[in-house]
Amino acid sequence: MRKVIYFILFYFITTTLNATSLTFSSEEQKYINTKTVKVAVLPSFIPFSMSNDGKLEGLSHDIFTLIQQKTGIKMQFHVDTWDNNFDKFTNNEIDIIDSISYTKKRSSYISFTKPYHILQLALFSRKEFINY
């Protein structure tokens, strides 16, 4: 079933954000009509996900909302820490985990979509801080 979920998300994100109608196979449509996808998000990963007084906001939430509107798929959001989200995901308690970075090791058991944002990280130090 995870493959069906990831196909729907991959197909949606890469080709249909502006589409007015979508066509799904009978297997995909049955899944959409009968299942609720559990999505793990972080409570404070601004601007991607944040919870303000129990209300989810952010870029990721907006994308998930758009996916729900365009496909009809039902989603249930689980807001928790990164460690808890990842544990639930690896134990099949969660179907989708938001804001996860690609690694070769993870790619052996996770189907990744194309990234909608690439986060460039850097380390900074003072110039005089050379004897570490």
Side-chain angles (χ1 to χ4, degrees):
M1 278 304 166
R2 268 199 183 172
K3 287 186 178 185
V4 173
I5 295 169
Y6 289 114
F7 175 78
I8 291 169
L9 286 174
F10 177 78
Y11 178 77
F12 182 83
I13 289 173
T14 58
T15 62
T16 61
L17 282 174
N18 294 318
T20 56
S21 65
L22 302 173
T23 305
F24 296 106
S25 71
S26 59
E27 180 186 12
E28 292 164 345
Q29 194 59 57
K30 181 180 177 186
Y31 188 91
I32 289 169
N33 293 340
T34 60
K35 301 293 181 184
T36 298
V37 176
K38 297 177 206 155
V39 181
V41 296
L42 297 172
S44 184
F45 190 51
I46 299 167
F48 303 103
S49 63
M50 60 210 98
S51 180
N52 292 319
D53 296 325
K55 182 178 184 272
L56 285 175
E57 298 176 333
L59 178 62
S60 296
H61 185 262
D62 292 346
I63 291 172
F64 286 124
T65 299
L66 193 56
I67 290 170
Q68 289 179 96
Q69 291 170 351
K70 297 277 186 170
T71 65
I73 198 163
K74 295 170 278 312
M75 293 184 182
Q76 180 183 62
F77 295 95
H78 297 262
V79 181
D80 208 337
T81 64
W82 168 251
D83 289 337
N84 288 341
N85 283 346
F86 193 72
D87 286 344
K88 290 175 188 176
F89 181 77
T90 56
N91 291 320
N92 293 319
E93 298 170 38
I94 295 292
D95 301 307
I96 297 172
I97 188 166
D98 179 46
S99 303
I100 186 169
S101 299
Y102 174 87
T103 66
K104 188 171 183 172
K105 181 180 177 184
R106 289 178 184 164
S107 71
S108 68
Y109 60 93
I110 297 175
S111 297
F112 286 88
T113 64
K114 289 184 179 180
Y116 58 87
H117 181 78
I118 297 173
L119 190 58
Q120 306 252 343
L121 300 175
L123 297 174
F124 299 89
S125 72
R126 295 183 309 278
K127 285 185 178 185
E128 67 273 9
F129 191 61
I130 59 173
N131 292 325
Y132 181 68

